[in-house]
Amino acid sequence: MRIAIDMDEVLADPISKFIKLYNRDYGLPLDTILDPGNEIYHHVPAHVNTKWFEYINEKGFFRDLPVIEGSIEALKKLQENNEIYIVSAATEFRNSLEDKMDWLQEHFPFISWQNIVFCGNKIIKADVLIDDRIKNFADFDGRKLLFTSSHNMLITNYERVDNWEQVLQKLL
Amino acid sequence: MRIAIDMDEVLADPISKFIKLYNRDYGLPLDTILDPGNEIYHHVPAHVNTKWFEYINEKGFFRDLPVIEGSIEALKKLQENNEIYIVSAATEFRNSLEDKMDWLQEHFPFISWQNIVFCGNKIIKADVLIDDRIKNFADFDGRKLLFTSSHNMLITNYERVDNWEQVLQKLL
């Protein structure tokens, strides 16, 4: 089985990085938790609510993101009997490409370059796609697993996984 | 119709860059033409025949490659009635990623980031794939157009296009 896996908010955690940067620059509390349905820009003052787009375009933004809990072990297990592909909508952010390669090399060295896809639209052929953005499911034929993140918590019409333990329960 | 198009030796010309670098460093004649079936490393002295791998990993290698004749106009025409995707096996060369983005932005600014795929294995869903490497056809379900390059000239069992004029004749 071929399993395609998104990066941001599935393997890597950009939200905590946004909060750190907004904390540094505008005092957003470090313990900010995004409300269901919300993006980071819903939680910051209006006059800086597009600042996240500057942060995300900076070199280094994606290089030191925390790893989502349980993802490394889960991918190792899934890889025993499946083809694992990382599929990230990275071409939107030219400066993210090297950072994402280096981050994957550091935390997921068992994923080869052959199995990494940096794209825009996810025009991929796979049996399963694990993603936190339903726009990436629009053109996907296989099984869709919506990985829970604050912004998608109000969406109900998809098979949902809250964490990597649940992914393993469903796919192993 | 969705048409996926490889970069190297289809839109961009790395061979002439290899020849220039081998000329600069080892005197390879600038008018070297690769024999049918040959790669660049078949045309250089044995003691430097892996040097191409160093060149290709250098920052900047992919940034100033010549554009393959007719490709810009052809993609513009094809884009009028088709979805055009650029699909390049770029993750093999970490240092190529930014260069390839910048090169596309310079020469093919009408291709949006949504339509760029940098990958290893080409696990894409498309109706047509134009590529010079038959390994990329192995797992592809659609129509395969082998874009002529020296190294593939002895391969006979694929539909072949010698240039962008022929691509347009076949696809328009």
Side-chain angles (χ1 to χ4, degrees):
Chain A
M1 188 160 73
R2 182 183 293 162
I3 304 171
I5 301 169
D6 179 37
M7 278 180 84
D8 296 320
E9 301 184 65
V10 175
L11 299 179
D13 173 16
I15 305 299
S16 68
K17 181 87 179 266
F18 281 131
I19 291 172
K20 257 168 106 170
L21 294 172
Y22 270 112
N23 172 270
R24 182 193 68 189
D25 297 342
Y26 307 103
L28 183 74
L30 280 175
D31 60 358
T32 297
I33 292 171
L34 275 52
D35 293 332
N38 276 11
E39 306 278 353
I40 184 67
Y41 54 78
H42 292 111
H43 287 262
V44 300
H47 69 287
V48 293
N49 70 5
T50 59
K51 187 77 185 176
W52 67 273
F53 195 73
E54 287 175 43
Y55 291 143
I56 207 170
N57 276 291
E58 276 171 21
K59 271 268 187 190
F61 180 88
F62 290 94
R63 183 61 190 87
D64 61 355
L65 298 187
V67 179
I68 297 280
E69 194 185 336
S71 61
I72 295 173
E73 292 315 311
L75 263 63
K76 279 184 186 163
K77 274 200 195 114
L78 289 170
Q79 203 179 37
E80 288 171 12
N81 294 298
N82 302 281
E83 281 180 71
I84 302 297
Y85 279 83
I86 311 297
V87 181
S88 175
T91 52
E92 185 172 6
F93 306 111
R94 179 256 194 211
N95 286 341
S96 76
L97 297 165
E98 290 183 358
D99 286 339
K100 281 176 179 262
M101 277 304 276
D102 295 345
W103 188 92
L104 285 170
Q105 183 56 37
E106 178 184 351
H107 300 291
F108 296 84
F110 53 91
I111 302 286
S112 121
W113 64 266
Q114 280 102 335
N115 294 57
I116 297 174
V117 181
F118 292 156
C119 56
N121 300 330
K122 300 192 176 179
I123 57 159
I124 53 160
K125 227 172 43 188
D127 301 297
V128 179
L129 173 57
I130 306 173
D131 208 297
D132 68 304
R133 299 274 170 190
I134 61 169
K135 69 175 177 185
N136 295 321
F137 293 151
D139 190 37
F140 183 69
D141 299 326
R143 184 175 175 185
K144 305 152 183 65
L145 294 184
L146 183 62
F147 200 93
T148 293
S149 182
S150 309
H151 68 80
N152 68 33
M153 283 175 71
L154 303 180
I155 294 169
T156 53
N157 49 339
Y158 284 91
E159 185 177 3
R160 178 182 291 279
V161 284
D162 287 330
N163 51 52
W164 277 99
E165 204 178 313
Q166 285 184 16
V167 174
L168 290 182
Q169 280 163 13
K170 283 178 182 282
L171 296 185
L172 282 186
Chain B
M1 187 159 73
R2 182 183 293 160
I3 304 171
I5 301 170
D6 179 37
M7 278 182 83
D8 297 321
E9 301 184 64
V10 175
L11 299 179
D13 173 16
I15 304 299
S16 68
K17 181 86 178 267
F18 280 131
I19 291 172
K20 256 168 106 170
L21 294 171
Y22 271 112
N23 172 270
R24 183 193 67 189
D25 298 341
Y26 306 104
L28 184 74
L30 280 175
D31 60 357
T32 297
I33 291 170
L34 274 54
D35 293 331
N38 276 12
E39 306 278 353
I40 184 68
Y41 53 78
H42 292 111
H43 286 262
V44 300
H47 70 288
V48 292
N49 70 5
T50 59
K51 186 78 186 177
W52 67 273
F53 195 74
E54 288 175 44
Y55 291 144
I56 207 170
N57 276 291
E58 275 171 19
K59 272 267 186 189
F61 180 88
F62 290 95
R63 183 60 190 89
D64 61 355
L65 298 187
V67 179
I68 296 281
E69 193 185 339
S71 60
I72 295 175
E73 292 315 310
L75 262 63
K76 279 185 185 163
K77 273 199 195 116
L78 289 170
Q79 203 179 36
E80 288 170 13
N81 294 297
N82 303 281
E83 281 180 72
I84 302 298
Y85 279 83
I86 310 297
V87 181
S88 174
T91 52
E92 183 172 7
F93 306 111
R94 180 255 192 214
N95 285 341
S96 76
L97 296 166
E98 290 183 358
D99 285 339
K100 281 176 179 261
M101 278 303 276
D102 296 344
W103 187 92
L104 285 171
Q105 182 57 37
E106 179 184 351
H107 300 292
F108 295 84
F110 53 91
I111 302 287
S112 121
W113 65 265
Q114 280 101 336
N115 294 56
I116 297 173
V117 181
F118 291 156
C119 56
N121 299 332
K122 300 192 176 179
I123 57 161
I124 52 159
K125 226 171 45 187
D127 302 296
V128 178
L129 173 56
I130 305 173
D131 209 296
D132 67 303
R133 299 275 171 190
I134 61 170
K135 69 174 177 187
N136 294 320
F137 293 149
D139 192 36
F140 183 69
D141 298 326
R143 183 174 174 186
K144 305 153 184 67
L145 294 184
L146 183 62
F147 199 94
T148 294
S149 183
S150 310
H151 68 80
N152 69 32
M153 283 176 72
L154 303 180
I155 294 170
T156 53
N157 49 340
Y158 284 91
E159 185 177 3
R160 178 182 291 278
V161 283
D162 287 331
N163 50 53
W164 278 99
E165 202 179 315
Q166 286 185 14
V167 174
L168 291 182
Q169 280 163 13
K170 283 178 181 283
L171 297 184
L172 282 186

